Amino acid sequence: MNINTAKFIVSSPRADMCPQTTLPEYAFIGRSNVGKSSLINMLTGRSKLAMTSSTPGKTMLINHFLINEQWYLVDLPGYGFALRGKREMDKLRNLIDHYVLDRQQLTCLFVLIDIRHEPQQKDLDFLNFCGENAVPIALVFTKADKLPLMKRKPAVTAYLDHLKEAWEELPPHFVTSSETRQGREELLDYIEEINRSLSGQQKA
Ligand code: GTP
Ligand code: MG
């Protein structure tokens, strides 16, 4: 899929304040610093569209980006960023939970996992929360460039094997790097396929 236009629309402090539209949305979630905002920039080919930082906790609001005037990419704050106070953490978690559970337009939630890390409880808890609530998810392994080529596949396989212990059916997964643009075509094709099936449904 070609990205012809990518526009920042709005930052919302709460799920119920997000744009009132019927366009499908694809959102990115994961621990702080996992590379959500960088991935949005990589996918759109606009290096400064979403704000990134090496300091965790950069994204604190729900950010909507309109793509090709037809669908949204949504950049969410990270979860599990313990350096903030408990009140702020609770507020963020509340914002994320409401968005994930209540946002009707949410078509696929991409849950980002740093490919270098062993399964972490915060991510597993979040994935289970999505599973229990039937949230449509896909896994995105990020920062593939930071692992030697030979280690990438085993890392992904080990992660998926771990998930299989609790999950009957695994969600789709992608391996990406915002540095090398690995995984870009696969992810955009996946989104395009879903968009196409949705517009088919509307016509039917
Ligand atoms: P928060 O908004 O704070 O939750 O973080 P985020 O998940 O949006 O992460 P962000 O995209 O801001 O990236 C965090 C840091 O990781 C930045 O320094 C990025 O340059 C770096 N980074 C992100 N993706 C990649 C990647 O694929 N490869 C490498 N080498 N670095 C990456
Ligand atoms: Mg961010």
Side-chain angles (χ1 to χ4, degrees), residues 31-38 50-53 55 57-60 63 75-78:
R31 292 157 69 86
S32 275
N33 219 239
V34 69
K36 301 173 290 294
S37 303
S38 302
M51 275 190 273
T52 65
S53 167
T55 312
K58 180 71 187 172
T59 311
M60 299 300 285
N63 299 291
D75 193 15
L76 294 169

Side-chain angles (χ1 to χ4, degrees), residues 43-107:
L43 290 174
T44 56
R46 314 288 195 275
S47 64
K48 295 193 175 72
L49 191 64
M51 275 190 273
T52 65
S53 167
S54 55
T55 312
K58 180 71 187 172
T59 311
M60 299 300 285
L61 299 163
I62 303 171
N63 299 291
H64 276 73
F65 302 94
L66 180 62
I67 312 297
N68 293 349
E69 308 284 339
Q70 284 169 346
W71 50 279
Y72 287 101
L73 281 176
V74 179
D75 193 15
L76 294 169
Y79 56 76
F81 178 43
L83 288 178
R84 298 213 174 239
K86 184 173 179 325
R87 254 188 76 177
E88 190 135 358
M89 285 276 291
D90 288 349
K91 206 172 115 190
L92 271 188
R93 183 64 211 217
N94 207 2
L95 174 153
I96 292 168
D97 286 2
H98 274 287
Y99 176 83
V100 167
L101 297 179
D102 300 342
R103 186 74 176 158
Q104 299 285 328
Q105 296 87 332
L106 177 62
T107 303

